[in-house]
């Protein structure tokens, strides 16, 4: 317990600030929804993807919806870890599957905030870590962190896996990457980070990246005096790399076996949802179509600015010397989000796990006086809460 108490005390300001921002968001959602005659609880637990997860928890796999245009929406598209946890919560408590998913998401969001703090503190120090968590909390789509969706659970597993990589805890990194791979398809990003870090560490190439934390003077840097012997490190690193892809690969292969379509069967399931990876061509066409009329052209400009901001933040992260595992992870998450061929309105949500994109902004925020940074975060938190309530009360899925 003492080993956990010190890191928790360091993270306390970040976690308290995070909880305050999320509470504000939920209060605004409740008031906004009540004014429109809607239930905030239903919006958080029983719409869009949340319904699909609870159906998996309740009925298992095999449920599908056939649309008039011939598309087949199968629940095999949804990875199993969140439904498993919903089923567990339902079994050990009076909670429904949906409420179990909400509890999992709320707990996971705090774990994700702590993981983001741990990674950022390791690289840049405590103050920047607090700022990174607060920026993640006030994202315009931050309300998803409090929904019965899998983003919070995935981000928690990804952040702590990345932290384990940065601190040389390879078995932990591999195990968490395995679980991330059972949570969302983008779990491949965590696997890629573990593998790239593992391969480069064998050659010594990664020293310029993993050594950045010690130059930053972080108090959470892994204590090399307690590190295992070199031979043990090699074996734990290799085992961690073996474990990392087993979750995603296992589920994809199981889906292929279940559908009778072999290793690529999961891609057919996604095709039934008109989703795939086309290098961003469909998204580019979607943006281009916005310029066919003046009102929608403003949305097109906004989309271009948004994508440009994401790419700029990634480039700044590279220039600032972010550790290689973070760059690999962020690059894969960003590529999969921007280059998916469908669900264009969900792209901000799909980018939410790419928290290292926020680190350049966190560095800038940390340079401000505490009073000024508090005003900035507070103002953005209010705007985010209002936007989240408006967005979630809309007609389309987030």
């Amino acid at each position: 317990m003492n080993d956990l108490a010190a890191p928790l005390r360091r993270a306390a300001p970040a976690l308290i600030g995070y909880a305050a921002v999320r509470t504000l968001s939920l209060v605004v959602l409740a008031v906004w929804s009540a004014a429109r005659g809607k239930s905030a609880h239903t919006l958080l637990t029983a719409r869009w993807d949340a319904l699909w997860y609870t159906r998996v928890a309740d009925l298992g796999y095999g449920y599908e919806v056939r649309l008039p245009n011939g598309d087949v929406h199968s629940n095999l598209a949804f990875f199993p870890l969140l439904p498993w946890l919903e089923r567990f919560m339902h079994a050990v408590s009076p909670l429904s599957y949906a409420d179990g998913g909400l509890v999992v998401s709320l707990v996971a969001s705090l774990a994700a905030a702590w993981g983001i703090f741990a990674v950022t503190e390791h690289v840049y120090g405590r103050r920047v870590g607090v700022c990174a968590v607060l920026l993640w909390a006030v994202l315009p789509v931050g309300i998803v962190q409090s929904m019965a969706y899998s983003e919070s659970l995935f981000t928690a597993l990804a952040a702590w896996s990345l932290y384990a990589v940065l601190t040389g805890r390879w078995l932990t990194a591999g195990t968490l990457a395995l679980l991330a791979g059972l949570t969302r398809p983008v779990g491949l990003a965590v696997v890629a980070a573990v593998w790239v870090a593992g391969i480069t560490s064998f050659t010594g190439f990664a020293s310029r990246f993993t050594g950045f934390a010690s130059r930053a003077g972080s108090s959470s840097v892994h204590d090399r005096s307690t590190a295992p012997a070199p031979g043990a490190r090699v074996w734990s690193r290799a085992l961690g790399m073996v474990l990392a892809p087993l979750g995603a690969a296992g589920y994809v292969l199981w889906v292929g076996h279940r559908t009778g379509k072999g290793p690529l069967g999961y891609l057919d399931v996604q095709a039934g949802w008109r989703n795939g990876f086309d290098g961003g061509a469909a998204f580019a066409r979607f943006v281009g179509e916005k310029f066919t009329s003046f009102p929608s052209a403003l949305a097109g400009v906004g989309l271009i600015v948004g994508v440009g901001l994401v790419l700029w933040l990634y480039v700044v992260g590279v220039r600032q010397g972010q550790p290689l595992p973070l760059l690999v992870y962020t690059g894969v998450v960003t590529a999969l989000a921007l280059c998916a061929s469908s669900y264009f309105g969900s792209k901000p949500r799909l980018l939410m796990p790419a928290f290292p994109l926020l680190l350049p902004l966190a560095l800038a925020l940390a340079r401000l006086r505490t009073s000024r940074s508090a005003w900035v975060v507070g103002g953005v938190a209010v705007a985010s809460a209002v936007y989240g309530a408006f967005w979630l009360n809309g007609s389309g899925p987030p």
Side-chain angles (χ1 to χ4, degrees), residues 201-348:
S201 67
F202 277 115
T203 65
F205 174 76
S207 60
R208 58 172 291 208
F209 299 98
T210 57
F212 185 86
S214 56
R215 294 196 299 274
S218 169
S219 59
S220 65
V221 176
H222 182 51
D223 182 3
R224 290 172 176 79
S225 65
T226 62
R233 288 201 301 270
V234 170
W235 280 106
S236 65
R237 187 182 310 153
L239 184 55
M241 293 174 66
V242 170
L243 287 172
L246 295 184
Y251 181 69
V252 168
L253 291 175
W254 179 81
V255 170
H257 175 74
R258 169 91 179 224
T259 59
K261 296 183 179 180
L264 301 181
Y266 183 77
L267 297 181
D268 289 336
V269 171
Q270 286 284 14
W273 288 78
R274 292 187 178 269
N275 198 18
F277 187 89
D278 65 357
F283 185 42
R285 289 195 298 271
F286 174 79
V287 174
E289 290 169 359
K290 296 295 181 183
F291 291 92
T292 57
S293 62
F294 173 71
S296 64
L298 297 177
V301 171
L303 289 170
I304 292 173
V305 171
V307 172
L309 176 62
V310 167
L311 298 178
W312 176 76
L313 288 172
Y314 186 77
V315 171
V316 172
V318 173
R319 291 177 174 174
Q320 290 178 343
Q322 283 187 20
L324 182 60
L326 299 190
L327 294 175
V328 171
Y329 167 77
T330 308
V332 176
V333 172
T334 303
L336 291 176
L338 295 182
C339 297
S341 59
S342 189
Y343 299 99
F344 307 116
S346 297
K347 290 192 182 297

Side-chain angles (χ1 to χ4, degrees), residues 3 11 25 38 63 70 118 144 183 222 237 243 284 309 332 340:
D3 291 341
S25 180
K38 295 184 178 182
Y63 177 84
V144 174
T183 307
H222 182 51
R237 187 182 310 153
L243 287 172
L309 176 62
V332 176

Side-chain angles (χ1 to χ4, degrees), residues 96-133:
S96 66
Y97 295 114
D99 287 339
L102 182 62
V103 170
V104 169
S105 183
L106 292 174
V107 173
S109 68
L110 286 170
W114 193 358
I116 292 169
F117 172 82
V119 169
T120 310
E121 184 199 29
H122 182 87
V123 179
Y124 294 117
R126 186 184 188 193
R127 184 177 177 85
V128 184
V130 173
C131 291
V133 170

Side-chain angles (χ1 to χ4, degrees), residues 166-187:
L166 294 176
T167 55
R169 297 170 171 89
W170 292 97
L171 289 178
T172 300
T175 301
L176 292 174
L178 184 157
L179 294 173
L182 287 171
T183 307
R184 296 187 62 81
V186 75

